[in-house]
Amino acid sequence: MTDNERYLQSILDLIDKQPAADSYDKDLITKAFWCCIEAHGEQRRASGEPFFMHPISVAKIVITLGMDSESVAASLLHDVVEDTEYTYDDIKREFGKSVAELVDGVTKLEKIPLESKESVQAENIRKMFIAMSHDLRVIIIKLADRLHNMRTIDAMPEYKQRDKSRETLEVFAPIAHRLGIRAVKEELEDLSIMHLDPVAYHEIEKSLTIKRSQSERFLTMIQERIQERVSEVVPAIRIEGRVKSIHGIYRKMYMQGKSIDEIYDIYAVRIITDTLVNCYNILGVIHDMARPIPGRFKDYISTPKPNLYQSLHTTVIGREGIPYEVQIRTEEMHRTAELGVAAHWKYKDGVIKSDVKFEERLKWIRQILDNQREADDVEELVQTIKTDLAPEEIFAVTPKGDVINLPIGSTVIDFAFAIHSAVGTRMTGAKVDGRIVPITHEVKTGELIEILTSNQVGHGPSRDWLNIAKTTQARQKIRAWFKKERRPENIANGRTEIEREFARNNIRLSEVDMEKFLNDLAVKQRCNSLDDFFAAIGYGGILVSKLMPRVKDAYSRFQKTDKPVELSNNTQTRKMAKSSDGVVVEGIDNCLIKLSRCCSPIPGDDLIGFITRGHGVSIHKRDCSNVPTDITAAAEPERWIPAYWDTSDTTRFDSTITILGLNRDGIVADVSILLGNLHVSVHAIMAKETKDGNCSIIITIGVESREHLDNVITRIKKLNGVFSVERS
Ligand code: MN
């Protein structure tokens, strides 16, 4: 077998793997293959490999998208008219009108020069839409062509890589998205980001690689667990696990300023079943076996996305405390989700059989074209098209040609901070397409934005910007600036504010005592110095209004030396109230009793009750920081009442503990497994890396008593790599 014969065989083998293998016209494809080999002859690509490898690869992509024989033949021939001596008529004679028109359509798209000028690009997009409305297969071949070019873009000069990547991200990926071809959309996006922001791309890639074995283990475990539970209710299911695409992670990190650990749907599990009713049945089982995160359930089955995507989405947290997204759909919905428009490509004897969903998609394209015809201003129209393609995000360009993408509604302030914090903080104004605009200007896709800056010492952002900026990233950076750059001012403001509040609350101490008192407060607020404490108040990191109740408490404690607490213990007229949590309160009957959130008491703790205004009695630990040490000296001593545990009760109690340990692989899993073995129910786990490179795990668990909790803590302390365990 020659090399060429082997290439042909690989195409035919791929066809045999397709569901509709029988319907392919292998003679037509074989003929197109040899024509492609012959026509391109010795031509080479920029990488040095024979040119015909490109159309062969494009044809293979088109096959995996489920396209028909004519599309495959046209893919093999798509560069023949453009780059060789073959003409449209040659193709028409040899392969028929339909294939020739497909080739012609792709050729016309390829001829459009890639220029940064908006009008040229608009024209480009317009032609693409016209081609699509004639025969959608043209655009699918074009997408496959772009995909292969992006896969091999490294052979191109760097400026071309950026241009192509930007165009791919702005035009081709959104088209793939609107046509619902997920696999192509995601790969185009990932490849574009890789060339537009290589540093971020490799950073995300690296952290995903580090996580890989962990991710795979996690996904396998989840899949097995779901399989086991769901198959009791719905036998026919298929489960797939996946990690979010790099571009998807990039967007969340970049646009929402989240770290990789804060992205909820980084893991996704897909459950594919037979019927629509079973989708909802499965959802029920999933919500029963893991805790759903509120607000994350989406029913795209009853309300499909504009690209006709259908699925149920929910995000849940399992025993490991790691959230993951579950997508539930039928086989048919799955096919639509993966292949989009190509899934509805029903061809018979060269005639498109009308398909309702297919018509729906065409309607969208026709609508855009109709709008085009009505307006004369092409440049304005390209904006509409682009906005319509990706309605949830916008792209604008810096004078250097860097593309900045932002959530819709972002202002020039967001744009400036997205370039760099130093650009944002030094910003004095902005020009959009050469014209000065107000600072509240909302950025629109395609705008060229120049940020005007000042190098003057002491220049900085204004506090109003916090209300104008749309992205959290910009707001965080503005706040950080005030925190860092305005320290003397913050300290002075903080000190004034504290003095004013103290005077209002009648807190008076000698200078020495005041110094000591304030220092205690600063330490309690985790500030390293009194200046840090004042500065934190100055920039709004500590709210005095929230601080004052505790200050007043501390003040009364500070003034009086500690005395043993004398609680009225009037046994003769003893009335009692008991809560469902197993707490008994003396002196009151029949009232609402709640365990306070600030210290979450559990059986075994010494208790005290506080009669609230209108909310019954709240139960605190005796040593809770909200409880005055000396009750008799408290503002309203009569409202503090004795309370104790009713030991006959066996209700479970929630308790939160903080574990500090070595940041090693699997430490969270070890803790979870141990808790499982101890039959402790886990309500929430949050693990994060600490600044010194270790890790902290905060867990809320249900325990039976203080003894039980102490036992759990002792066992966790014995785990490999655990430094300390503390009750929060
Ligand atoms: Mn090509």
Side-chain angles (χ1 to χ4, degrees), residues 51 54 58 78-79 110 145 149:
F51 188 89
H54 168 64
V58 174
H78 82 272
D79 280 326
E110 228 149 279
D145 176 47
N149 283 334

Side-chain angles (χ1 to χ4, degrees), residues 696-709:
S696 86
I697 307 166
I698 299 171
I699 313 186
T700 305
I701 51 175
V703 290
E704 276 154 17
S705 65
R706 178 157 191 166
E707 215 178 44
H708 186 201
L709 178 64

Side-chain angles (χ1 to χ4, degrees), residues 498-525:
I498 278 284
E499 278 167 4
R500 195 174 53 225
E501 280 302 304
F502 276 26
R504 232 177 44 177
N505 287 284
N506 233 348
I507 297 177
R508 290 173 214 285
L509 288 168
S510 71
E511 209 172 311
V512 182
D513 279 353
M514 182 59 97
E515 185 80 19
K516 189 170 175 297
F517 181 63
L518 285 172
N519 265 316
D520 283 356
L521 274 181
V523 170
K524 282 226 175 70
Q525 295 299 316

Side-chain angles (χ1 to χ4, degrees), residues 600 602 653-657 683 699-703 709 727-728:
S600 307
I602 59 162
F653 299 86
D654 285 358
S655 184
T656 301
I657 54 176
H683 303 308
I699 313 186
T700 305
I701 51 175
V703 290
L709 178 64
R727 204 171 139 196
S728 317

Side-chain angles (χ1 to χ4, degrees), residues 43 60 72 77 107 117 136 157 163 170 220-221 225 296 327 434 530 569 582:
Q43 286 176 0
K60 285 184 174 172
V72 179
L77 302 168
T107 307
K117 253 201 113 218
L136 254 180
D163 280 354
E170 287 181 356
T220 315
M221 189 172 59
R225 205 179 290 165
R296 298 274 313 175
Q327 304 173 349
L530 203 48
N569 201 1

Side-chain angles (χ1 to χ4, degrees), residues 621-666:
K621 274 157 66 177
R622 187 61 195 84
D623 55 3
C624 167
S625 60
N626 291 330
V627 177
T629 317
D630 183 356
I631 297 294
T632 50
E636 294 162 289
E638 67 284 356
R639 293 174 70 182
W640 292 99
I641 53 166
Y644 54 86
W645 294 103
D646 178 0
T647 41
S648 62
D649 217 301
T650 53
T651 332
R652 282 183 167 246
F653 299 86
D654 285 358
S655 184
T656 301
I657 54 176
T658 305
I659 303 168
L660 283 177
L662 212 58
N663 191 15
R664 66 165 171 89
D665 257 16

